[in-house]
Amino acid sequence: MTSFTSGPELADALRRHDYIADDEFAVVVHLATALERPLLLEGPAGVGKTELAKALAAVGGRKLVRLQCYEGLDDSRALYEWDYAKQLLHVQMLRDRIGEQLAAYPEVAEASRFLAAQDFGLYSETFLAVRPLLEAILSPEPVVLLVDEVDRTEESMEALLLEVLAERQVTIPEVGTFTARSAPWVILTSNDTRELSPALKRRCLHYHVGYPTPEREREIVTARAPEVDTVTAGEVVDLARTLRELPLRKSPSISEVIDAARAATVLRRGGGDHTSLRQIRDILLAALLKYTGDADLVRARLDGDTALAAPTTTAPATTAPATTAPRTTVGTTVATTTAPTTTEPAGERPERATVASRPANTTTAVFRGRGGGGSGVGIGARR
């Protein structure tokens, strides 16, 4: 196993595995490994948080144990579960021997007490189906434990992680407490889709990973894709940075920039009309953007179509058109009768019928906001 004495030494080791980290980030990672504290990395998707754990496992000579989080994740997928098939096979193998011993107890009560006093080893480490968290705790060799996208789980899953992060141990009610047999390096990642609990953050070192500078991103592209020349890498990086300044649903990640740079290189090698970045720009958007609305907005902005580029933020007020009566002429006098302009008062516009405004007719929807006898609205009455 490899250890590091300083942040720059760790940064050089990561660079040899094509992971480019700035000095501050490398120092924080070094402190996490030296202090044996979990490291929580937060930031937008696709900035290299997961790749750090992979590179750290490679430079440290450790096995990577990954727990991919998702909504609905529970302890049976994160910690352990009992191997019921193996337990049943074990009982079937002992059935004949158990029958011979029970023959000495003609009474059912005596036979029951005899069985209760026996330990058949069904609830022991042998019959545990270990999951990533328990695997990292039981591993005799140090590992890198990656808890990826922890913000996708519920808060109950965060509570399950606390014992592992703080005490490096796992408690199983039927067996007892398993303490870590080696000290794992723990990396947690979050894409900031929700706020994590203070209890979880308190047990970790924290670092926010953002998009790299243009110079560093060009270096990352050329390191991960050596076939891409520096000019193409610079042009694609500049395009990606322009896109990130727009109000997109999903901004281009570093991996998508690498894909776009590779695509630009392939197109330019083919010659023809694909020699300049402007000519292949629309094709590269397929690698950089993953939503149709984002692609339409980018094309409108880059082509200078302000009508399509400017998003509508506020709907104009609805005003009823003025009604003008026919002109009546008497002699030389012209009288014009104009109906008054009717404007709907603010706050009394008809409510737009949507799923959100008309919830399902459940008990919660019926009783929400219906307290008080003076409301004049009964259960089931239409508003």
Side-chain angles (χ1 to χ4, degrees):
M1 303 301 168
T2 305
S3 58
F4 306 96
T5 58
S6 65
E9 180 184 354
L10 176 58
D12 292 339
L14 292 173
R15 185 181 295 271
R16 289 194 293 271
H17 286 79
D18 296 333
Y19 189 90
I20 314 300
D22 57 35
D23 296 337
E24 181 181 348
F25 188 23
V27 170
V28 173
V29 176
H30 166 63
L31 289 177
T33 59
L35 300 176
E36 297 181 350
R37 294 292 304 277
L39 175 61
L40 172 60
L41 302 178
E42 291 189 296
V47 293
K49 303 185 295 296
T50 302
E51 289 298 320
L52 171 69
K54 298 178 181 179
L56 192 60
V59 301
R62 299 186 174 207
K63 176 184 177 181
L64 177 66
V65 178
R66 179 173 180 172
L67 173 62
Q68 181 62 52
C69 298
Y70 55 87
E71 186 177 355
L73 180 67
D74 58 8
D75 56 351
S76 65
R77 295 298 178 185
L79 275 176
Y80 72 94
E81 65 178 346
W82 293 107
D83 192 338
Y84 296 111
K86 192 174 182 179
Q87 288 175 324
L88 181 60
L89 179 62
H90 182 70
V91 170
Q92 290 176 343
M93 294 174 62
L94 294 177
R95 182 175 54 188
D96 295 338
R97 295 293 304 274
I98 294 174
E100 294 175 359
Q101 296 184 16
L102 289 179
Y105 301 93
E107 299 293 334
V108 176
E110 294 179 356
S112 178
R113 285 193 295 268
F114 170 77
L115 289 176
Q118 304 305 310
D119 182 9
F120 299 105
L122 294 177
Y123 293 99
S124 62
E125 185 177 345
T126 306
F127 298 97
L128 279 175
V130 297
R131 301 307 182 202
L133 295 182
L134 185 58
E135 180 183 355
I137 293 295
L138 297 180
S139 175
E141 299 294 332
V143 301
V144 174
L145 174 60
L146 170 62
V147 184
D148 204 15
E149 297 183 330
V150 66
D151 54 321
R152 291 183 177 270
T153 64
E154 294 82 3
E155 292 188 6
S156 58
M157 189 61 206
E158 291 186 34
L160 191 66
L161 290 170
L162 298 182
E163 184 181 19
V164 177
L165 299 179
E167 285 81 24
R168 292 208 295 268
Q169 66 182 29
V170 171
T171 300
I172 301 176
E174 297 89 346
V175 180
T177 299
F178 289 96
T179 305
R181 296 169 183 174
S182 59
W185 291 344
V186 182
I187 305 294
L188 300 92
T189 70
S190 169
N191 293 336
D192 283 336
T193 58
R194 70 172 178 87
E195 185 69 22
L196 300 178
S197 66
L200 180 68
K201 290 189 173 184
R202 189 171 64 247
R203 288 163 172 80
C204 305
L205 298 183
H206 179 270
Y207 190 84
H208 186 275
V209 184
Y211 292 109
T213 62
E215 296 78 12
R216 191 170 300 280
E217 190 165 12
R218 285 194 292 267
E219 187 178 2
I220 293 172
V221 171
T222 54
R224 289 300 180 108
E227 71 275 15
V228 179
D229 60 81
T230 55
V231 175
T232 301
E235 291 176 344
V236 175
V237 167
D238 291 341
L239 174 61
R241 292 188 65 83
T242 300
L243 300 184
R244 288 169 185 159
E245 294 175 356
L246 300 178
L248 302 179
R249 182 177 177 184
K250 180 187 179 302
S251 297
S253 65
I254 297 177
S255 61
E256 290 166 337
V257 173
I258 295 174
D259 290 340
R262 286 173 171 167
T265 301
V266 171
L267 291 174
R268 285 178 171 176
R269 285 176 181 173
D273 296 333
H274 299 147
T275 55
S276 69
L277 183 66
R278 182 176 181 83
Q279 292 170 327
I280 62 176
R281 184 195 66 193
D282 289 346
I283 301 177
L284 295 184
L285 294 183
L288 295 173
L289 303 176
K290 302 305 167 63
Y291 293 97
T292 304
D294 289 349
D296 293 341
L297 173 63
V298 168
R299 291 189 180 95
R301 289 289 181 92
L302 296 182
D303 294 339
D305 190 345
T306 57
L308 293 176
T312 302
T313 56
T314 304
T318 303
T319 304
T323 304
T324 305
R327 297 175 59 186
T328 303
T329 305
V330 181
T332 59
T333 304
V334 179
T336 303
T337 306
T338 304
T341 301
T342 304
T343 304
E344 297 175 359
E348 297 182 5
R349 296 170 186 166
E351 183 180 357
R352 181 183 176 184
T354 63
V355 175
S357 63
R358 297 185 182 273
N361 187 18
T362 60
T363 303
T364 304
V366 170
F367 286 98
R368 184 183 297 127
R370 294 292 183 259
S375 60
V377 180
I379 298 177
R382 297 181 180 271
R383 290 192 291 173

